Amino acid sequence: MEPFKKFFLAVRFIGLRQVLRTVAYTGTLARLETRFPTASQTPAAKIFKPEALISAAPAPRGAAFKFKHGIELQVEFLGNTAVRLTWKPGELPVPYAVVEDGWEDVPMEVDEGEDGWRVSSEGVTLLVGGNGRLRYFKGEELFREEAPPSYQAPIWRQSAALDEHAHLYGLGERSRFNLRGGRYRLWNTDPDGSYGHGEDPLYMSIPAYTCLQPGGGYLIFYENSFDGEIGFEDQAEAVFLGGALRYVVFAEGPPEALHDYTRLTGRAPLPPRWVLGFHQSRWSYETEAEVREVAEGFKRHDLPLAAIHLDIDYMRGYRVFSVDKTRFPDLKGLTTDLEAGGIKTVTILDPGVKWDPGYDVFREGRDQGVFCQLPDGKTLRGLVWPGWAVYPDFTHPAARRWWGGYYRRLVSEGVAGFWHDMNEPAAFTAGGADTVPRATVHEMDGRKGIHEEGHNLYGLLMNRAGFEALRELQPEKRPWLLTRSGWAGVQRYAWKWSGDVESSWEALRMTVGTLLSTGVSGIPYSGSDIGGFSGSPSEELFVRWFQMAAFTPFFRNHAAKGTARSEPWVFGEPALSICREFLRLRRRLLPYLYTLGWEASQTGAPLMRPVWWRQPEERVLWDIEDAFLLGDALLVAPVVERGATERRVRLPTGRWYSFWDDEVVEGGRESAADTPLERIPVFVRAGSVIPMAPDIHGEGPKLHIYPPAGEGSGSSAMYCDAGEGYGDMRVDRFEVGWEGGELVVKRESEGEYGGTDDYGVVVHGVVAGKGVVDGKGIETRGGEMRTGPFTELRIATDD
Ligand code: MIG
C-alpha cells in the first residue's frame, strides 16, 4: 500500500493521536534496540565447529560426547524411534513446550565402529562422526544426515542434506503448505492487518517440520524458542540466535511421528462440544442492541448458531477485562438471553494493559511487579489499542496467576470462551519490527532471559495463564480459548485461527495450506475468517469460503472494521440458502467432528489432514495443497477459483464415494468433479462408518456406512459424552467388511456413558436388503434401519 493511503487508513481506524504515538513508539523502539544490543547482534568473531572428538561415554538413555572448542553433544533416546540431541554451549530451554520427559526405558547400545560412534535403539542408529557429522539410520536406510553444526557465540547454525524429492511441511503457521525452496523466520509476527500467499513470518512459528522423502520420512522438533530461521533450499538449514541447539528426531511416518511429538509437547483436550458449531463475529458488534439483532437474524433465517464473538469495542477504552457500560449496560443479561437461545458469548482479550494509574488492572499489576522491564529496570512502555500500554511477563509464574485472576470478571458475566489476540506480542509501529525491544527482560520461571528467547513463548504462556485460570475457576467445565499466536505445545491450551487473511481467491486457496501447516505442527484445531478478514468478499468468494470452512475444525465468520457486513443473509439468494445447507450439514457432522476431537486428544492427529496422511508413500499426493482430509473418512476439495464449474481432484489409491450422490470413484488417478455454486466436491473413503446427527433434533445418531471394496475392510469410531465437563464417556468402534455377499458391521463399546441406545443405520453405495441384528431380523426402509446397541449387524445386499 502507498504510505499516503496507509496513513489515512490508519487515522481512520485508530485516530490521529494514536497515529502520532505510533510514530513516537517507532522512534523509541529503534533507540532502545541500539541502547540495549543483544549478544546475537554482535556475535563472536570466531566460528567454531566440533572438529575433533575428545571423549565419548555412555550416558543415561544414550551417550555424551566432548569435542574441541568446548563443544559438547548429548544423545538421549526418548523412545525407540525418538532421539534427542543437545549441542552446547548455550543455555537449555525452560521446558515450556514439554509435558512428558519420563519415557519408558529403551534398550540401547553404544559402541565404537570404524566410521565413528554408534548409539542405537532397536529402531534407530545414530552414527556420530569424529568431526561431529551425524547420520541417522533406520535399519540400513540412511534417512537424515547432518553436517557438523557451527557455533558463533551465541548463534548456532546447522545444515542437513535434503533428498532431491524431499517435501517439507509444518513450522507452525505458514502461508503455503509444501515449504521446499523457501526460508522461514521463527519470529511470531503480526503481518500488519492483512496477508496473502508467500507472506512470512506469520503469527505462530513452531520449529518443527515433517520431511517426506522416498524411503520414509521423519519429524524434527527444535526445542529452542530464540529468534531464528529454517530454510529448505539445497539443504535443510536451521539458525538459532541463542541457547543450546536441542532437537528431537522422530523417525516414523507422519501419524506416528506426530503421535510421539504430541506425547512430548502435549495434546489438545476435548473442547466443550458447542465450540464445534458455527461462530459469528465481526470487528466489532459495538452495542448490545447490535448483538441481539445479529442473534435475531440467525433465528429469523433459520441458521444454527453456536456463538457470537465480541471484538475489542466491548471494552472501556480498550482496557482489558473491562466492559463499556454505555454500549453493554447489561452484559450478563445479554449473555443469559443468548444462552437461552443456544448461543454462547466469546470475548476478545489483548495482553497489552493500558498505562492508566486510575485502572485497577494496571495498578495491581504494577504493584506486583508483573510487567516486562527493560534491562535498566524501567517498566517497558509499548503501544497498542489502549494507547500506551504495558506487557505482562507471562514467563513469570506470578504474572500468569495475576492475569488469570481477572477471567472471573467476565466468566461471571456469562462469557463462555476467550479469544486471545495481539499476543505475538504485537505493537503499533510505522514499519519495521512491530513488537517490544529484543532486550526486554523475561523472568523465564526464575532462569531469566531476554525477549529474543521469550518472544515466541509469549502467546503460548498467555494461553497457559488463561487455561490454568479457567480450570481452577470452573473445575467442572472445559476451558475454551482461541489464540492468534503460540509456540510448540500451544495445542494444550487453545485453538488457533489464521488471523488477518486477505479477502481474495488466492488467499482462500492458500488458507488450505496454512491450516494444514498448523495441523502437522501439532495443533489439531484451526480455522480462518470466512470470506477473508481484510476486505469485502463477493458473494461467490464468500460462499466458497463458507463451504470450505464448514469442514475446517474452527468454523467462524469474521471481518475487519470498515468492510461490508457479511452475515449470511446480507448476500441474499442463493448465498443464504447455500450457507443454511452447509450450516445444517455441519450440525449433522458434529458426532463425527467430536469423535475426531477425541482422537486428537489421544493421538495428536489434526482433524484436518493432508491428503497423503494415510498414504505417504504415494508421491503424487505430496504436492496437493488445495484439498484435505477431514479425519480419514472424508476428502474435501474446496473450490478456490472464481467461476469454476468443475475442478480436478486426485484421490489417494482406493475406492471412494461421492458424498453427495454415493457415486463410486476409484482413487489413484485424477478426475473431474462438478462444482455448481451449491456444492464443493466431498468424497468418503470406502470402509468408513460416519456417525452423523439427524437433520431434526430428537433422534439418536445415524451411522452412515460406506462399504469397503471387495475383500477390504475398515474401522471407525464414534465417541460420545455429555459434551461438557469430565464425566463418563463411551467409544463405539466399528469394523465393516464383507462376508459372503453380506455386509457385516461389528461394534465394540467401551465406557459407561449411556446417551444413545438407538442407532440409525444408513447404507451407501449398495442396495441394502434385510438386516439381522445379533441374530434378529430388522426392517429396512429406503436403505435405512434402526437398531438398539448391537454387536453384529449383517446386511443382505443386492451386490
Ligand atoms: O490490530 O481486535 O486478527 O481478528 O478483529 C487489529 C481487532 C486487532 C486483529 C485480529 C482481528 C481483530 C482485530 N485485531
Side-chain angles (χ1 to χ4, degrees):
M1 209 184 289
E2 297 158 46
F4 198 58
K5 200 168 155 206
K6 218 173 170 165
F7 177 80
F8 277 105
L9 265 180
V11 172
R12 189 160 128 215
F13 282 145
I14 62 179
L16 183 59
R17 177 137 29 118
Q18 190 77 323
V19 169
L20 296 178
R21 285 190 195 121
T22 302
V23 175
Y25 181 65
T26 311
T28 307
L29 189 57
R31 272 195 305 283
L32 289 172
E33 299 290 24
T34 332
R35 183 152 153 231
F36 303 115
T38 60
S40 75
Q41 287 163 292
T42 48
K46 271 208 145 162
I47 300 178
F48 291 115
K49 296 202 174 213
E51 225 169 294
L53 186 63
I54 294 170
S55 73
R61 296 174 173 276
F65 301 89
K66 288 195 159 73
F67 294 88
K68 275 177 72 174
H69 313 299
I71 293 180
E72 293 176 23
L73 168 67
Q74 193 191 356
V75 179
E76 301 158 273
F77 274 88
L78 299 180
N80 255 324
T81 52
V83 55
R84 175 162 69 193
L85 295 96
T86 309
W87 291 95
K88 286 188 194 170
E91 271 189 299
L92 289 180
V94 180
Y96 291 123
V98 170
V99 288
E100 185 169 343
D101 232 359
W103 299 44
E104 63 283 343
D105 277 339
V106 177
M108 326 215 348
E109 275 172 35
V110 180
D111 51 50
E112 192 176 4
E114 275 165 32
D115 39 4
W117 283 81
R118 274 166 202 280
V119 191
S120 348
S121 67
E122 277 163 15
V124 173
T125 295
L126 177 69
L127 204 61
V128 180
N131 63 353
R133 183 165 74 130
L134 302 183
R135 281 182 291 167
Y136 302 73
F137 295 87
K138 250 188 133 165
E140 294 299 301
E141 177 106 25
L142 174 70
F143 69 88
R144 183 174 160 94
E145 179 170 4
E146 291 165 14
S150 73
Y151 185 63
Q152 180 182 16
I155 302 170
W156 277 104
R157 293 192 179 82
Q158 181 198 54
S159 65
L162 278 183
D163 181 281
E164 64 167 315
H165 300 292
H167 280 50
L168 301 307
Y169 310 91
L171 296 185
E173 173 179 49
R174 299 292 158 183
S175 60
R176 53 196 278 204
F177 188 40
N178 173 7
L179 302 176
R180 187 76 197 245
R183 301 188 70 80
Y184 308 89
R185 175 115 184 257
L186 302 165
W187 188 255
N188 296 345
T189 301
D190 173 0
D192 223 2
S194 185
Y195 73 94
H197 181 84
E199 177 96 24
D200 196 83
L202 294 173
Y203 313 93
M204 181 187 68
S205 61
I206 295 181
Y209 65 84
T210 292
C211 171
L212 292 186
Q213 60 192 2
Y218 61 90
L219 185 156
I220 183 169
F221 164 51
Y222 292 88
E223 192 190 352
N224 183 316
S225 65
F226 274 86
D227 189 359
E229 194 179 61
I230 291 182
F232 305 110
E233 284 154 326
D234 297 337
Q235 314 188 67
E237 289 176 75
V239 182
F240 293 93
L241 299 192
L245 179 63
R246 165 174 275 200
Y247 47 102
V248 186
V249 175
F250 299 92
E252 289 166 294
E256 297 79 18
L258 201 66
H259 176 276
D260 286 359
Y261 167 72
T262 54
R263 177 168 172 194
L264 183 69
T265 61
R267 300 194 176 118
L270 258 182
R273 195 169 41 212
W274 62 264
V275 188
L276 288 164
F278 179 72
H279 301 240
Q280 178 64 39
S281 181
R282 160 154 211 90
W283 175 20
S284 298
Y285 294 130
E286 289 193 9
T287 62
E288 181 180 323
E290 206 176 353
V291 173
R292 287 182 187 279
E293 215 176 276
V294 171
E296 255 319 296
F298 274 83
K299 206 170 153 197
R300 188 171 62 248
H301 294 286
D302 194 15
L303 305 167
L305 177 63
I308 295 186
H309 290 221
L310 303 185
D311 205 330
I312 46 177
D313 296 290
Y314 81 89
M315 293 184 260
R316 184 169 58 84
Y318 304 128
R319 285 170 184 80
V320 65
F321 298 113
S322 76
V323 176
D324 186 321
K325 291 285 173 200
T326 51
R327 280 176 286 134
F328 290 87
D330 180 15
L331 183 56
K332 177 83 201 195
L334 175 66
T335 59
T336 309
D337 292 348
L338 290 177
E339 176 89 48
I343 303 166
K344 305 281 183 185
T345 306
V346 173
T347 53
I348 199 168
L349 296 174
D350 288 359
V353 174
K354 187 175 180 70
W355 186 297
D356 171 6
Y359 161 44
D360 55 356
V361 176
F362 173 76
R363 264 198 329 266
E364 290 164 13
R366 194 175 52 179
D367 292 349
Q368 295 196 30
V370 295
F371 298 134
C372 288
Q373 296 180 351
L374 290 166
D376 61 6
K378 292 216 175 95
T379 300
L380 164 75
R381 202 179 68 155
L383 182 68
V384 251
W385 284 105
W388 298 117
V390 289
Y391 291 79
D393 180 8
F394 292 112
T395 72
H396 199 318
R400 293 196 293 271
R401 269 195 309 277
W402 159 83
W403 174 266
Y406 295 111
Y407 285 71
R408 180 188 294 277
R409 294 189 178 176
L410 290 160
V411 166
S412 65
E413 299 284 332
V415 173
F418 296 91
W419 167 21
H420 291 168
D421 190 17
M422 305 292 278
N423 51 0
E424 293 69 32
F428 291 168
T429 58
D434 55 0
T435 185
V436 304
R438 306 175 73 84
T440 302
V441 177
H442 285 287
E443 177 66 16
M444 300 296 284
D445 278 68
R447 191 280 251 135
K448 308 279 188 214
I450 57 167
H451 196 64
E452 239 167 31
E453 182 182 20
H455 180 82
N456 289 330
L457 299 168
Y458 199 84
L460 171 72
L461 296 173
M462 179 191 182
N463 287 301
R464 174 167 158 191
F467 187 89
E468 288 173 351
L470 291 170
R471 279 298 287 127
E472 219 179 284
L473 191 58
Q474 301 175 288
E476 72 296 349
K477 288 201 165 170
R478 304 175 192 169
W480 184 68
L481 301 174
L482 175 66
T483 189
R484 196 167 75 172
S485 190
W487 199 64
V490 73
Q491 67 271 11
R492 305 195 299 265
Y493 313 122
W495 288 27
K496 168 79 182 96
W497 103 102
S498 63
D500 302 345
V501 61
E502 69 187 29
S503 294
S504 70
W505 289 96
E506 295 72 33
L508 169 59
R509 183 179 204 282
M510 167 201 73
T511 292
V512 178
T514 302
L515 302 183
L516 288 171
S517 287
T518 306
V520 299
S521 303
I523 290 126
Y525 298 104
S526 66
S528 60
D529 292 347
I530 293 172
F533 171 80
S534 54
S536 305
S538 66
E539 175 183 4
E540 187 190 0
L541 178 59
F542 181 81
V543 165
R544 292 311 198 186
W545 208 307
F546 201 98
Q547 290 169 322
M548 174 190 77
F551 297 94
T552 63
F554 180 48
F555 186 21
R556 184 183 74 161
N557 185 7
H558 179 61
K561 200 159 251 191
T563 61
R565 290 287 288 249
S566 63
E567 295 76 22
W569 56 87
V570 167
F571 298 93
E573 293 294 351
L576 173 58
S577 298
I578 297 173
C579 290
R580 186 184 296 117
E581 280 310 304
F582 279 78
L583 286 168
R584 287 186 176 156
L585 174 58
R586 174 76 176 203
R587 195 171 58 186
R588 288 173 60 214
L589 281 172
L590 286 183
Y592 179 62
L593 288 162
Y594 199 51
T595 299
L596 295 177
W598 168 74
E599 226 183 81
S601 74
Q602 304 299 303
T603 69
L607 281 66
M608 183 174 168
R609 305 171 185 170
V611 290
W612 44 254
W613 187 249
R614 287 289 165 199
Q615 287 144 290
E617 66 290 349
E618 290 186 29
R619 270 153 69 176
V620 286
L621 305 177
W622 293 358
D623 281 315
I624 298 180
E625 306 210 4
D626 63 356
F628 59 92
L629 297 174
L630 178 59
D632 284 335
L634 293 181
L635 188 145
V636 181
V639 174
V640 294
E641 260 175 55
R642 188 208 318 252
T645 53
E646 64 163 50
R647 68 155 281 177
R648 316 286 301 170
V649 184
R650 176 177 280 280
L651 299 170
T653 305
R655 175 169 295 179
W656 298 79
Y657 298 89
S658 163
F659 180 76
W660 306 111
D661 59 13
D662 290 348
E663 188 196 335
V664 172
V665 186
E666 292 301 334
R669 58 192 178 82
E670 208 180 64
S671 54
D674 287 338
T675 57
L677 189 62
E678 65 277 9
R679 289 278 158 83
I680 57 171
V682 179
F683 301 90
V684 187
R685 194 189 297 266
S688 307
V689 175
I690 302 189
M692 287 179 54
D695 295 305
I696 314 294
H697 294 289
E699 292 171 64
K702 279 190 186 167
L703 305 174
H704 288 260
I705 300 181
Y706 291 85
E711 294 301 287
S713 63
S715 43
S716 312
M718 175 172 77
Y719 174 88
C720 359
D721 65 17
E724 177 58 286
Y726 301 92
D728 288 344
M729 51 77 98
R730 196 185 76 235
V731 193
D732 289 358
R733 289 173 210 277
F734 304 102
E735 282 290 326
V736 192
W738 289 101
E739 283 177 23
E742 276 183 336
L743 187 60
V744 180
V745 186
K746 296 188 172 135
R747 170 181 163 274
E748 268 178 35
S749 182
E750 177 197 315
E752 300 305 311
Y753 183 73
T756 49
D757 39 14
D758 179 26
Y759 300 82
V761 175
V762 187
V763 182
H764 294 263
V766 294
V767 179
K770 221 173 84 157
V772 178
V773 175
D774 299 329
K776 272 200 255 111
I778 54 164
E779 247 183 79
T780 308
R781 263 200 216 117
E784 294 201 26
M785 49 197 93
R786 289 211 81 79
T787 151
F790 62 91
T791 356
E792 191 184 81
L793 168 62
R794 304 184 81 89
I795 303 163
T797 67
D798 284 359
D799 279 31

